[in-house]
Amino acid sequence: MDDERIRELFDGLGPVSIRRLFGGKGVYFDGVIIAVEIRGEFRLKADAQSALDFEAAGCTQWTYTGSRHGKTVAMPYWSIPEDALDDPEEMTVWARRAYEAGLRAGK
């Protein structure tokens, strides 16, 4: 996803900055990371409080297998609900959840 499309997705939340991260992109709002794009997958930040909302919406959590120990590692990022990608108002709701999770994480 190009930077212009990413900025469009977050228009309802406000201006975002995009930085290189993990070979992909990190999306920040007001200095707080709210989303990542890794290997062509775009994911929003979540935490224990908001993960249930993402799960209920049919989203999947970003996981990977650790190279040292071979165990599955769950990251605090979830896929975006399908309807939010085409509905700016719905995307704003999910972007706000991601921002609030970032604030609670203190990062």
XYZ file of all heavy atoms in Angstrom:
843
model
N 0.853 -1.172 0.000
C 0.000 0.000 0.000
C 0.904 1.242 0.000
O 1.821 1.324 0.812
C -0.882 -0.043 1.251
C -1.931 1.015 1.292
S -3.040 0.922 2.732
C -3.717 -0.710 2.600
N 0.633 2.164 -0.890
C 1.493 3.344 -0.943
C 1.115 4.339 0.159
O 0.045 4.258 0.767
C 1.478 3.981 -2.330
C 0.153 4.618 -2.724
O -0.649 4.974 -1.844
O -0.090 4.769 -3.937
N 2.024 5.265 0.424
C 1.850 6.209 1.523
C 0.602 7.077 1.367
O -0.072 7.377 2.357
C 3.087 7.097 1.667
C 4.300 6.337 2.174
O 4.207 5.106 2.399
O 5.353 6.978 2.357
N 0.284 7.458 0.146
C -0.906 8.288 -0.079
C -2.174 7.533 0.331
O -3.053 8.090 0.998
C -0.995 8.705 -1.548
C -2.151 9.628 -1.835
C -2.162 10.096 -3.288
O -1.106 10.154 -3.922
O -3.273 10.411 -3.762
N -2.278 6.270 -0.033
C -3.450 5.454 0.337
C -3.516 5.279 1.856
O -4.599 5.326 2.449
C -3.394 4.090 -0.359
C -4.497 3.143 0.053
C -5.882 3.626 -0.375
N -6.871 2.629 0.000
C -7.990 2.875 0.653
N -8.299 4.112 0.994
N -8.829 1.919 0.958
N -2.375 5.092 2.496
C -2.349 4.967 3.959
C -2.875 6.243 4.597
O -3.707 6.200 5.500
C -0.928 4.634 4.456
C -0.537 3.219 4.012
C -0.833 4.770 5.971
C 0.920 2.871 4.239
N -2.410 7.388 4.121
C -2.880 8.659 4.674
C -4.388 8.829 4.477
O -5.091 9.323 5.356
C -2.108 9.815 4.062
C -0.692 9.910 4.589
C 0.027 11.173 4.120
N 1.359 11.207 4.675
C 2.451 10.713 4.073
N 2.356 10.147 2.886
N 3.630 10.771 4.665
N -4.888 8.397 3.322
C -6.328 8.460 3.057
C -7.107 7.608 4.064
O -8.162 8.024 4.536
C -6.637 7.972 1.645
C -6.277 8.937 0.553
C -6.503 8.346 -0.835
O -7.048 7.220 -0.952
O -6.101 8.997 -1.816
N -6.597 6.426 4.366
C -7.272 5.541 5.314
C -7.454 6.202 6.672
O -8.455 5.981 7.348
C -6.473 4.249 5.511
C -6.652 3.138 4.494
C -5.704 1.993 4.801
C -8.092 2.644 4.460
N -6.485 7.010 7.073
C -6.498 7.609 8.404
C -6.971 9.059 8.416
O -6.873 9.731 9.447
C -5.112 7.485 9.040
C -4.759 6.059 9.356
C -3.979 5.324 8.488
C -5.233 5.452 10.508
C -3.668 3.997 8.763
C -4.930 4.132 10.794
C -4.148 3.400 9.918
N -7.514 9.548 7.305
C -7.997 10.938 7.230
C -8.947 11.287 8.367
O -8.886 12.383 8.918
C -8.711 11.202 5.897
C -7.779 11.701 4.824
O -6.622 12.035 5.143
O -8.207 11.736 3.652
N -9.841 10.398 8.732
C -10.827 10.678 9.765
C -10.223 10.840 11.149
O -10.791 11.504 12.011
N -9.067 10.235 11.363
C -8.378 10.350 12.641
C -7.554 11.628 12.688
O -7.531 12.323 13.692
C -7.478 9.125 12.864
C -6.754 9.027 14.195
C -7.752 8.913 15.345
C -5.829 7.805 14.194
N -6.897 11.915 11.596
C -6.043 13.090 11.504
C -4.779 12.754 10.747
O -4.604 11.636 10.270
N -3.868 13.722 10.627
C -2.646 13.479 9.868
C -1.752 12.448 10.552
O -1.545 12.491 11.766
C -1.965 14.848 9.815
C -2.592 15.649 10.895
C -3.942 15.069 11.169
N -1.249 11.517 9.758
C -0.353 10.482 10.266
C 1.021 10.642 9.639
O 1.166 11.234 8.576
C -0.901 9.056 9.979
C -2.210 8.824 10.707
C -1.045 8.793 8.491
N 2.014 10.103 10.326
C 3.355 10.035 9.739
C 3.664 8.571 9.475
O 3.155 7.681 10.163
C 4.394 10.675 10.654
O 4.450 10.005 11.897
N 4.472 8.343 8.473
C 4.816 6.984 8.057
C 6.332 6.856 8.074
O 7.032 7.690 7.505
C 4.258 6.700 6.647
C 2.732 6.893 6.657
C 4.637 5.305 6.188
C 2.121 6.999 5.286
N 6.803 5.822 8.763
C 8.247 5.596 8.877
C 8.572 4.146 8.547
O 7.749 3.260 8.752
C 8.729 5.875 10.298
C 8.436 7.269 10.781
C 8.944 7.452 12.200
N 8.175 8.502 12.851
C 7.941 8.581 14.137
N 8.418 7.658 14.950
N 7.248 9.567 14.635
N 9.812 3.919 8.114
C 10.276 2.553 7.870
C 10.337 1.812 9.197
O 10.746 2.365 10.213
C 11.658 2.558 7.232
C 11.662 3.144 5.843
C 13.061 3.015 5.224
N 12.955 2.674 3.835
C 12.739 1.456 3.340
N 12.617 0.442 4.133
N 12.652 1.250 2.050
N 9.932 0.537 9.168
C 9.890 -0.260 10.386
C 9.900 -1.738 10.020
O 9.066 -2.188 9.237
C 8.609 0.079 11.161
C 8.374 -0.614 12.477
C 9.336 -0.074 13.542
C 6.939 -0.383 12.933
N 10.832 -2.500 10.578
C 10.907 -3.952 10.349
C 10.894 -4.321 8.865
O 10.281 -5.297 8.476
C 9.742 -4.690 11.017
C 9.556 -4.439 12.464
C 8.317 -4.084 12.963
C 10.602 -4.564 13.353
C 8.122 -3.862 14.311
C 10.427 -4.339 14.709
C 9.180 -3.991 15.185
N 11.479 -3.528 8.024
C 11.445 -3.800 6.595
C 10.109 -3.443 5.967
O 9.871 -3.733 4.811
N 9.235 -2.815 6.735
C 7.927 -2.389 6.249
C 7.706 -0.939 6.617
O 8.624 -0.119 6.517
N 6.494 -0.648 7.087
C 6.148 0.721 7.449
C 5.438 0.739 8.798
O 4.648 -0.154 9.107
C 5.194 1.323 6.411
C 5.784 1.417 5.025
C 4.760 1.921 4.032
C 5.354 1.928 2.627
N 4.391 2.419 1.633
N 5.717 1.773 9.576
C 4.976 2.042 10.794
C 4.166 3.305 10.580
O 4.643 4.252 9.969
N 2.930 3.308 11.058
C 2.058 4.463 10.924
C 1.850 5.045 12.314
O 1.477 4.326 13.246
C 0.702 4.070 10.291
C -0.202 5.285 10.160
C 0.913 3.411 8.940
N 2.088 6.344 12.447
C 2.036 7.032 13.734
C 1.026 8.172 13.686
O 0.934 8.886 12.687
C 3.402 7.613 14.085
C 4.476 6.576 14.242
C 5.080 5.994 13.139
C 4.888 6.174 15.510
C 6.062 5.028 13.287
C 5.874 5.212 15.659
C 6.454 4.643 14.544
O 7.422 3.676 14.696
N 0.297 8.315 14.789
C -0.597 9.459 14.956
C -0.230 10.124 16.270
O -0.198 9.463 17.313
C -2.066 9.023 14.972
C -3.010 10.145 15.263
C -3.212 11.148 14.332
C -3.687 10.217 16.469
C -4.077 12.199 14.599
C -4.553 11.263 16.752
C -4.747 12.257 15.807
N 0.071 11.390 16.213
C 0.436 12.148 17.406
C 1.584 11.469 18.168
O 1.580 11.407 19.396
C -0.786 12.331 18.301
C -0.630 13.480 19.293
O 0.180 14.394 19.033
O -1.294 13.442 20.343
N 2.539 10.908 17.404
C 3.709 10.272 17.997
C 3.499 8.861 18.512
O 4.411 8.252 19.055
N 2.294 8.311 18.341
C 1.963 6.970 18.835
C 1.801 6.028 17.645
O 1.056 6.335 16.705
C 0.644 7.009 19.658
C 0.228 5.619 20.091
C 0.792 7.939 20.850
N 2.470 4.868 17.693
C 2.319 3.906 16.600
C 0.922 3.291 16.661
O 0.457 2.873 17.722
C 3.419 2.832 16.616
C 3.346 2.010 15.328
C 3.356 1.979 17.874
C 4.586 1.195 15.031
N 0.237 3.289 15.515
C -1.123 2.774 15.464
C -1.302 1.661 14.444
O -2.317 0.958 14.469
C -2.135 3.902 15.184
C -1.823 4.606 13.869
C -2.162 4.882 16.347
C -2.889 5.592 13.420
N -0.325 1.488 13.556
C -0.463 0.463 12.522
C 0.909 0.124 11.946
O 1.854 0.913 12.047
C -1.384 0.947 11.405
N 0.975 -1.063 11.341
C 2.182 -1.482 10.636
C 1.784 -2.129 9.320
O 0.695 -2.692 9.191
C 3.037 -2.481 11.464
C 3.597 -1.835 12.704
C 2.263 -3.735 11.800
N 2.687 -2.034 8.365
C 2.565 -2.790 7.130
C 3.837 -3.622 7.017
O 4.940 -3.082 6.951
C 2.409 -1.887 5.916
C 2.216 -2.714 4.655
C 2.215 -1.883 3.391
O 2.994 -0.915 3.309
O 1.444 -2.217 2.487
N 3.668 -4.922 7.060
C 4.783 -5.861 6.970
C 4.461 -6.894 5.897
O 3.392 -7.510 5.931
C 5.007 -6.586 8.322
C 5.191 -5.599 9.466
C 6.158 -7.566 8.237
C 6.468 -4.801 9.427
N 5.368 -7.065 4.961
C 5.198 -8.048 3.879
C 3.839 -7.932 3.179
O 3.179 -8.931 2.917
C 5.398 -9.463 4.414
C 6.813 -9.736 4.847
C 6.998 -11.179 5.302
N 8.012 -11.200 6.321
C 7.771 -11.405 7.621
N 6.566 -11.657 8.058
N 8.761 -11.387 8.479
N 3.422 -6.700 2.942
C 2.174 -6.467 2.226
C 0.919 -6.613 3.061
O -0.183 -6.439 2.552
N 1.061 -6.914 4.343
C -0.095 -7.033 5.232
C -0.173 -5.789 6.104
O 0.798 -5.407 6.739
C 0.015 -8.267 6.115
C -0.062 -9.567 5.359
C -0.028 -10.771 6.277
O -0.339 -10.640 7.477
O 0.310 -11.852 5.795
N -1.347 -5.191 6.142
C -1.560 -3.973 6.912
C -2.332 -4.334 8.170
O -3.367 -4.985 8.104
C -2.346 -2.964 6.062
C -2.208 -1.566 6.535
C -1.084 -0.823 6.219
C -3.170 -0.987 7.328
C -0.936 0.482 6.669
C -3.047 0.309 7.784
C -1.923 1.040 7.446
N -1.830 -3.915 9.341
C -2.447 -4.299 10.619
C -2.505 -3.119 11.581
O -1.623 -2.275 11.595
C -1.644 -5.429 11.248
C -1.647 -6.658 10.328
C -1.110 -7.871 10.986
N -1.226 -9.026 10.120
C -2.237 -9.872 10.137
N -3.235 -9.698 10.968
N -2.262 -10.911 9.325
N -3.564 -3.110 12.394
C -3.778 -2.066 13.393
C -3.363 -2.534 14.778
O -3.496 -3.707 15.114
C -5.261 -1.676 13.442
C -5.830 -1.001 12.209
C -7.342 -0.838 12.347
C -5.171 0.351 11.981
N -2.890 -1.604 15.595
C -2.483 -1.892 16.970
C -3.703 -2.240 17.819
O -4.753 -1.620 17.692
C -1.786 -0.663 17.559
C -1.353 -0.842 18.995
C 0.114 -0.753 19.073
C 0.583 -0.819 20.516
N 1.693 -1.704 20.640
N -3.545 -3.225 18.682
C -4.597 -3.606 19.627
C -3.937 -3.978 20.941
O -2.713 -4.090 21.030
C -5.417 -4.772 19.079
N -4.748 -4.152 21.950
C -4.257 -4.604 23.255
C -5.333 -5.496 23.867
O -6.326 -5.823 23.208
C -3.905 -3.415 24.150
C -5.072 -2.503 24.479
O -6.223 -2.800 24.090
O -4.844 -1.472 25.133
N -5.131 -5.906 25.109
C -6.085 -6.811 25.760
C -7.494 -6.230 25.768
O -8.482 -6.959 25.650
C -5.624 -7.121 27.178
N -7.601 -4.919 25.887
C -8.909 -4.273 25.941
C -9.610 -4.256 24.583
O -10.826 -4.412 24.510
C -8.750 -2.854 26.470
C -10.060 -2.144 26.733
C -9.850 -0.820 27.433
O -8.899 -0.632 28.183
N -10.741 0.122 27.189
N -8.871 -4.077 23.503
C -9.503 -3.944 22.188
C -9.419 -5.199 21.322
O -10.133 -5.300 20.323
C -8.887 -2.764 21.432
O -7.505 -2.968 21.225
N -8.593 -6.161 21.704
C -8.421 -7.368 20.880
C -9.733 -8.120 20.673
O -9.968 -8.677 19.588
C -7.370 -8.284 21.495
N -10.586 -8.128 21.674
C -11.869 -8.824 21.535
C -12.732 -8.196 20.444
O -13.453 -8.898 19.732
C -12.610 -8.843 22.867
C -11.963 -9.681 23.964
C -12.744 -9.541 25.269
C -11.849 -11.139 23.556
N -12.659 -6.868 20.301
C -13.397 -6.193 19.225
C -12.874 -6.629 17.865
O -13.653 -6.882 16.945
C -13.278 -4.673 19.355
C -13.941 -4.124 20.600
O -14.948 -4.701 21.050
O -13.440 -3.113 21.124
N -11.561 -6.706 17.730
C -10.963 -7.140 16.469
C -11.350 -8.589 16.162
O -11.726 -8.914 15.033
C -9.433 -6.998 16.525
C -8.955 -5.589 16.318
C -8.799 -4.729 17.385
C -8.667 -5.111 15.051
C -8.348 -3.425 17.218
C -8.221 -3.810 14.851
C -8.064 -2.965 15.944
N -11.271 -9.425 17.175
C -11.623 -10.834 16.990
C -13.091 -10.983 16.583
O -13.418 -11.743 15.675
C -11.341 -11.606 18.272
C -11.441 -13.097 18.115
C -10.978 -13.841 19.346
O -10.915 -13.253 20.445
O -10.682 -15.037 19.206
N -13.981 -10.237 17.244
C -15.409 -10.288 16.928
C -15.696 -9.823 15.505
O -16.665 -10.270 14.883
C -16.203 -9.445 17.930
N -14.853 -8.955 14.981
C -15.033 -8.446 13.615
C -14.409 -9.374 12.570
O -14.399 -9.063 11.385
C -14.430 -7.048 13.494
N -13.869 -10.519 13.024
C -13.298 -11.486 12.093
C -11.857 -11.204 11.701
O -11.347 -11.776 10.736
N -11.194 -10.345 12.438
C -9.802 -9.994 12.144
C -8.861 -11.078 12.678
O -9.226 -11.858 13.554
C -9.455 -8.652 12.792
S -10.538 -7.317 12.259
N -7.651 -11.092 12.148
C -6.649 -12.054 12.606
C -5.457 -11.323 13.192
O -5.076 -10.244 12.728
C -6.162 -12.953 11.453
O -5.625 -12.129 10.409
C -7.290 -13.809 10.906
N -4.872 -11.932 14.210
C -3.711 -11.351 14.874
C -2.445 -11.729 14.111
O -2.331 -12.836 13.580
C -3.626 -11.842 16.316
C -2.563 -11.146 17.124
C -2.619 -11.526 18.599
O -3.246 -12.488 18.989
N -1.928 -10.738 19.417
N -1.479 -10.813 14.088
C -0.187 -11.063 13.457
C 0.605 -11.993 14.366
O 0.858 -11.695 15.528
C 0.554 -9.749 13.243
C 1.958 -9.887 12.746
C 2.500 -10.945 12.067
C 3.009 -8.933 12.881
N 3.809 -10.701 11.760
C 4.154 -9.473 12.257
C 3.091 -7.682 13.462
C 5.367 -8.797 12.209
C 4.304 -7.017 13.399
C 5.420 -7.564 12.781
N 0.987 -13.132 13.822
C 1.839 -14.075 14.533
C 2.976 -14.496 13.615
O 2.870 -14.392 12.395
C 1.069 -15.335 14.987
O 0.573 -16.019 13.835
C -0.070 -14.990 15.925
N 4.042 -14.958 14.228
C 5.147 -15.517 13.468
C 5.826 -16.580 14.321
O 5.626 -16.639 15.535
C 6.141 -14.437 13.018
C 6.922 -13.808 14.145
C 8.171 -14.318 14.522
C 6.423 -12.704 14.838
C 8.889 -13.739 15.564
C 7.137 -12.130 15.871
C 8.366 -12.651 16.229
O 9.071 -12.088 17.254
N 6.627 -17.421 13.684
C 7.366 -18.453 14.398
C 8.765 -17.932 14.692
O 9.492 -17.546 13.771
C 7.443 -19.748 13.569
O 6.102 -20.153 13.274
C 8.153 -20.841 14.335
N 9.125 -17.919 15.981
C 10.444 -17.445 16.387
C 11.540 -18.329 15.832
O 11.454 -19.562 15.916
N 12.562 -17.719 15.272
C 13.639 -18.493 14.644
C 14.522 -19.205 15.658
O 15.089 -20.245 15.353
C 14.496 -17.588 13.747
O 15.069 -16.547 14.517
N 14.633 -18.695 16.842
C 15.505 -19.306 17.858
C 14.843 -20.449 18.607
O 15.478 -21.441 18.931
C 15.972 -18.266 18.863
C 16.893 -17.243 18.245
C 17.462 -16.334 19.294
N 17.987 -15.147 18.644
C 18.149 -14.003 19.228
N 17.848 -13.855 20.490
N 18.625 -12.973 18.559
N 13.552 -20.272 18.911
C 12.879 -21.261 19.759
C 11.778 -22.020 19.040
O 11.244 -22.976 19.579
C 12.315 -20.598 21.017
C 11.502 -19.371 20.735
N 10.287 -19.399 20.087
C 11.749 -18.075 21.012
C 9.807 -18.170 19.982
N 10.684 -17.345 20.532
N 11.402 -21.606 17.835
C 10.398 -22.310 17.058
C 8.969 -22.161 17.573
O 8.069 -22.832 17.090
N 8.760 -21.282 18.540
C 7.423 -21.084 19.104
C 6.706 -19.945 18.386
O 7.334 -19.038 17.849
C 7.512 -20.759 20.595
C 8.089 -21.882 21.421
C 8.174 -21.480 22.882
C 8.846 -22.584 23.687
N 9.024 -22.197 25.092
N 5.381 -20.004 18.416
C 4.572 -18.946 17.825
C 4.592 -17.720 18.734
O 4.382 -17.826 19.936
C 3.122 -19.419 17.628
O 3.127 -20.547 16.746
C 2.258 -18.322 17.031
N 4.859 -16.575 18.115
C 4.892 -15.301 18.830
C 3.729 -14.457 18.318
O 3.571 -14.275 17.110
C 6.234 -14.566 18.590
C 6.240 -13.218 19.277
C 7.399 -15.427 19.028
N 2.891 -13.963 19.232
C 1.753 -13.117 18.867
C 2.130 -11.652 19.072
O 2.564 -11.265 20.150
C 0.541 -13.468 19.708
N 1.955 -10.880 18.049
C 2.232 -9.449 18.103
C 0.927 -8.688 18.351
O -0.154 -9.185 18.026
C 2.870 -8.990 16.791
C 4.201 -9.661 16.495
S 5.470 -9.279 17.708
C 5.778 -7.569 17.326
N 0.997 -7.465 18.875
C -0.218 -6.716 19.195
C -0.821 -5.969 18.005
O -1.253 -4.817 18.118
C 0.262 -5.738 20.273
C 1.674 -5.455 19.887
C 2.199 -6.775 19.350
N -0.850 -6.616 16.856
C -1.398 -6.001 15.648
C -2.377 -6.961 15.000
O -2.119 -8.157 14.924
C -0.274 -5.629 14.669
C 0.626 -4.562 15.226
C 1.790 -4.899 15.902
C 0.292 -3.223 15.118
C 2.607 -3.923 16.452
C 1.103 -2.240 15.670
C 2.254 -2.600 16.332
O 3.045 -1.624 16.882
N -3.493 -6.422 14.538
C -4.577 -7.211 13.962
C -4.935 -6.695 12.575
O -4.786 -5.500 12.284
C -5.802 -7.117 14.856
C -5.635 -7.844 16.159
C -4.844 -7.493 17.215
C -6.262 -9.064 16.539
N -4.952 -8.412 18.224
C -5.819 -9.390 17.839
C -7.175 -9.916 15.917
C -6.249 -10.521 18.515
C -7.610 -11.039 16.590
C -7.142 -11.339 17.875
N -5.448 -7.581 11.730
C -5.899 -7.171 10.403
C -7.051 -6.178 10.537
O -7.712 -6.100 11.576
C -6.322 -8.398 9.588
O -7.368 -9.096 10.222
N -7.275 -5.434 9.482
C -8.338 -4.427 9.464
C -9.630 -5.095 8.996
O -9.616 -5.848 8.020
C -7.967 -3.277 8.500
C -6.676 -2.604 8.967
C -9.100 -2.266 8.392
C -6.141 -1.585 7.990
N -10.746 -4.814 9.649
C -12.020 -5.375 9.174
C -12.269 -4.982 7.720
O -12.024 -3.839 7.323
C -13.067 -4.740 10.099
C -12.303 -4.358 11.322
C -10.929 -3.989 10.845
N -12.745 -5.933 6.933
C -12.961 -5.711 5.493
C -13.795 -4.455 5.208
O -13.438 -3.665 4.345
C -13.660 -6.929 4.879
C -12.786 -8.156 4.798
C -11.735 -8.068 3.719
O -11.985 -7.449 2.658
O -10.651 -8.629 3.938
N -14.897 -4.269 5.939
C -15.773 -3.132 5.651
C -15.121 -1.791 5.970
O -15.474 -0.777 5.388
C -17.121 -3.269 6.359
C -16.995 -3.454 7.866
O -15.925 -3.842 8.340
O -17.997 -3.191 8.568
N -14.138 -1.772 6.850
C -13.473 -0.518 7.198
C -12.591 -0.007 6.065
O -12.378 1.195 5.938
C -12.646 -0.689 8.468
N -12.097 -0.900 5.231
C -11.228 -0.486 4.131
C -11.981 0.341 3.088
O -11.387 1.147 2.382
C -10.578 -1.700 3.472
C -9.546 -2.411 4.332
C -9.115 -3.719 3.680
C -8.338 -1.517 4.594
N -13.305 0.146 3.009
C -14.114 0.862 2.018
C -15.030 1.919 2.625
O -15.740 2.603 1.902
C -14.967 -0.134 1.226
C -14.117 -1.108 0.436
O -13.079 -0.686 -0.113
O -14.477 -2.295 0.372
N -15.026 2.043 3.942
C -15.918 2.978 4.629
C -15.096 3.880 5.545
O -14.663 3.456 6.612
C -16.946 2.185 5.443
C -17.962 3.068 6.153
O -17.718 4.279 6.323
O -19.004 2.524 6.559
N -14.870 5.135 5.126
C -14.026 6.039 5.922
C -14.489 6.222 7.365
O -13.666 6.301 8.275
C -14.087 7.363 5.153
C -14.458 6.984 3.762
C -15.325 5.767 3.888
N -15.794 6.273 7.590
C -16.288 6.440 8.959
C -15.971 5.211 9.812
O -15.573 5.336 10.971
C -17.789 6.712 8.959
C -18.130 8.096 8.443
C -19.614 8.372 8.425
O -20.365 7.704 9.161
O -20.017 9.259 7.666
N -16.139 4.031 9.240
C -15.828 2.795 9.956
C -14.323 2.697 10.214
O -13.894 2.288 11.293
C -16.324 1.586 9.152
C -16.188 0.279 9.860
C -17.121 0.103 11.055
O -18.092 0.873 11.214
O -16.864 -0.811 11.845
N -13.531 3.108 9.244
C -12.078 3.079 9.418
C -11.664 4.011 10.544
O -10.758 3.687 11.322
C -11.368 3.454 8.120
C -9.864 3.361 8.199
S -9.310 1.678 8.587
C -7.614 2.006 8.998
N -12.320 5.148 10.667
C -12.001 6.080 11.745
C -12.248 5.449 13.113
O -11.449 5.630 14.037
C -12.813 7.381 11.593
O -12.468 7.978 10.337
C -12.525 8.355 12.712
N -13.316 4.675 13.249
C -13.606 3.986 14.503
C -12.465 3.033 14.858
O -11.975 3.010 15.988
C -14.949 3.216 14.403
C -15.133 2.291 15.595
C -16.111 4.190 14.280
N -12.012 2.250 13.875
C -10.936 1.275 14.120
C -9.599 1.967 14.340
O -8.803 1.543 15.178
C -10.866 0.262 12.980
C -12.052 -0.641 13.015
C -13.185 -0.538 12.255
C -12.255 -1.745 13.892
N -14.073 -1.525 12.609
C -13.529 -2.281 13.611
C -11.493 -2.334 14.892
C -14.049 -3.388 14.283
C -11.999 -3.439 15.561
C -13.268 -3.947 15.262
N -9.352 3.055 13.624
C -8.108 3.805 13.806
C -8.059 4.409 15.203
O -7.013 4.413 15.863
C -7.996 4.897 12.749
N -9.194 4.888 15.687
C -9.264 5.449 17.036
C -8.988 4.365 18.080
O -8.294 4.598 19.061
C -10.627 6.101 17.263
C -10.653 7.003 18.473
C -11.836 7.951 18.482
N -11.630 9.018 17.492
C -12.463 9.283 16.483
N -13.556 8.587 16.314
N -12.197 10.263 15.652
N -9.514 3.159 17.857
C -9.231 2.043 18.764
C -7.732 1.747 18.791
O -7.161 1.478 19.850
C -9.978 0.784 18.327
C -11.429 0.782 18.694
C -12.084 -0.550 18.357
N -13.466 -0.503 18.740
C -14.485 -0.801 17.937
N -14.258 -1.207 16.700
N -15.722 -0.729 18.372
N -7.116 1.776 17.621
C -5.672 1.511 17.544
C -4.882 2.585 18.287
O -3.920 2.286 18.996
C -5.241 1.425 16.072
N -5.288 3.829 18.120
C -4.615 4.936 18.812
C -4.770 4.784 20.325
O -3.801 4.946 21.075
C -5.181 6.271 18.327
C -4.618 7.468 19.031
C -3.253 7.767 18.965
C -5.427 8.297 19.786
C -2.734 8.869 19.624
C -4.908 9.406 20.439
C -3.558 9.685 20.363
O -3.046 10.777 21.015
N -5.962 4.472 20.784
C -6.188 4.297 22.216
C -5.362 3.139 22.775
O -4.814 3.237 23.873
C -7.680 4.085 22.481
C -8.482 5.345 22.237
C -9.991 5.121 22.166
O -10.442 3.950 22.261
O -10.715 6.122 22.006
N -5.230 2.048 22.008
C -4.384 0.929 22.434
C -2.933 1.369 22.528
O -2.210 1.000 23.452
C -4.526 -0.253 21.467
N -2.501 2.170 21.559
C -1.129 2.701 21.594
C -0.886 3.593 22.807
O 0.171 3.522 23.436
N -1.863 4.409 23.138
C -1.742 5.260 24.316
C -1.639 4.422 25.587
O -0.816 4.697 26.463
C -2.933 6.212 24.430
C -2.983 7.372 23.453
C -4.317 8.116 23.599
C -1.807 8.312 23.641
N -2.473 3.399 25.683
C -2.443 2.535 26.871
C -1.111 1.795 26.984
O -0.631 1.534 28.080
C -3.603 1.539 26.843
C -4.948 2.178 27.135
C -6.039 1.152 27.323
N -6.348 0.389 26.135
C -7.257 0.719 25.217
N -7.968 1.840 25.360
N -7.473 -0.049 24.180
N -0.515 1.479 25.831
C 0.779 0.780 25.837
C 1.912 1.713 26.239
O 3.006 1.264 26.577
C 1.062 0.178 24.458
N 1.662 3.010 26.153
C 2.691 3.986 26.521
C 3.776 4.131 25.488
O 4.867 4.569 25.782
N 3.462 3.770 24.246
C 4.461 3.860 23.182
C 3.884 4.576 21.996
O 2.766 4.506 21.685
C 4.912 2.458 22.758
C 5.572 1.730 23.904
C 5.917 0.323 23.520
C 6.500 -0.391 24.705
N 6.725 -1.764 24.514
